[in-house]
Amino acid sequence: MHILCLKHVPFEGPASIAEWALQRGHTLSECPVYEGNSLPPLEEFDLLLVMGGPMNIYEEETYPWLNTEKAFIREAIDSGKYVIGICLGGQLIADILGAAVTKGKEVEIGWLPVQRAESCPNAFKFPEELRVFHWHGDTFGIPEGAVRLAGSPGCRNQGFLYGNRVLAWQCHLETTPASLASLTTHCGHEIRPGKYTMPVSMMQAEPASTYKRMQSVLFNLLDELSQRKSAL
């Protein structure tokens, strides 16, 4: 299948999802929505991937392309496309589906565990607890009709599944050492001491085993979604 990746800033891309696509024989193209160009027809992609970014979903005056992007994601969902949103992307999906997106009680930046929700489908093979990367201050509610997937002490809603084909994550399961370095370089000024934040040096010291386990879980999620699509 062909994946269209919507990027909100040059430095935040698909990371390990691009590796998954390559391994599975899928194609992936990137669309920089922040440039304000027209978005491609829905017929040109099978799965829509919406990435993160330092802006908020309610900053349309500063980022007028957000209105166009929201309408595009809405159209993709309504037309039956498979859609995945990460961080800002997940918040955009939640907003489009009628859930609230608000400032979180806590900021999460760094490596922190998330816990599997009881409602998470067994087919996703998500473990009871998984150490993952975070970088967010806002949080989303769970849309009506969606299934909550995971949460953490600092952010109750870390993911949800809607209609068995729309997947939203608050945390960054796609993180690689390179994508982490890119975020800390461009957004390091956002880090403040807090209960759920850590300094860059600690982020960079995370062992390779954490990345490997997180990537394995992410690939299982993506495989399950792609298999559902293939079965149609």
Side-chain angles (χ1 to χ4, degrees):
M1 64 180 174
H2 181 64
I3 303 166
L4 176 66
C5 175
L6 302 184
K7 292 176 60 175
H8 303 109
V9 284
F11 56 83
E12 193 164 351
S16 68
I17 297 177
E19 180 180 342
W20 171 82
L22 181 63
Q23 289 182 8
R24 302 314 193 253
H26 306 309
T27 57
L28 186 150
S29 61
E30 298 182 358
C31 178
V33 293
Y34 54 88
E35 292 182 354
N37 298 323
S38 59
L39 295 167
L42 297 181
E43 296 76 21
E44 291 190 6
F45 63 90
D46 304 294
L47 185 151
L48 181 65
L49 174 62
V50 190
M51 297 309 304
M55 61 287 299
N56 304 109
I57 67 150
Y58 39 81
E59 293 186 289
E60 293 94 344
E61 288 191 9
T62 305
Y63 307 98
W65 44 262
L66 276 170
N67 287 316
T68 303
E69 182 183 18
K70 288 179 183 181
F72 183 74
I73 297 171
R74 173 86 263 181
E75 188 179 3
I77 293 174
D78 289 347
S79 68
K81 295 289 183 180
Y82 278 63
V83 182
I84 299 174
I86 296 171
C87 202
L88 173 63
Q91 294 164 8
L92 287 166
I93 290 172
D95 177 65
I96 288 164
L97 295 176
V101 177
T102 59
K103 288 290 183 185
K105 293 182 179 180
E106 303 284 352
V107 173
E108 289 184 312
I109 299 179
W111 293 97
L112 299 160
V114 298
Q115 290 76 39
R116 180 183 186 273
E118 290 185 3
S119 51
C120 183
N122 291 331
F124 280 164
K125 301 178 183 177
F126 201 89
E128 288 297 319
E129 184 167 282
L130 181 69
R131 189 168 173 84
V132 301
F133 191 68
H134 304 257
W135 198 300
H136 71 98
D138 283 2
T139 183
F140 51 61
I142 304 299
E144 183 177 352
V147 175
R148 180 171 170 267
L149 301 178
S152 68
C155 178
R156 185 179 188 277
N157 298 324
Q158 288 286 348
F160 66 81
L161 176 69
Y162 176 81
N164 287 319
R165 58 181 173 80
V166 179
L167 183 64
W169 284 101
Q170 187 60 72
C171 52
H172 291 269
L173 298 171
E174 84 288 359
T175 300
T176 63
S179 69
L180 186 152
S182 185
L183 268 178
T184 56
T185 297
H186 292 91
C187 299
H189 61 280
E190 298 177 4
I191 302 172
R192 299 288 186 274
K195 188 176 180 180
Y196 300 108
T197 63
M198 63 173 57
V200 172
S201 58
M202 287 185 64
M203 296 183 209
Q204 294 173 333
E206 195 68 22
S209 58
T210 302
Y211 289 93
K212 184 177 180 179
R213 184 164 188 249
M214 182 175 67
Q215 184 181 90
S216 175
V217 172
L218 172 63
F219 284 18
N220 281 334
L221 289 168
L222 297 173
D223 285 341
E224 173 62 22
L225 278 187
S226 63
Q227 287 166 11
R228 292 181 183 190
K229 185 179 187 327
S230 298
L232 293 178

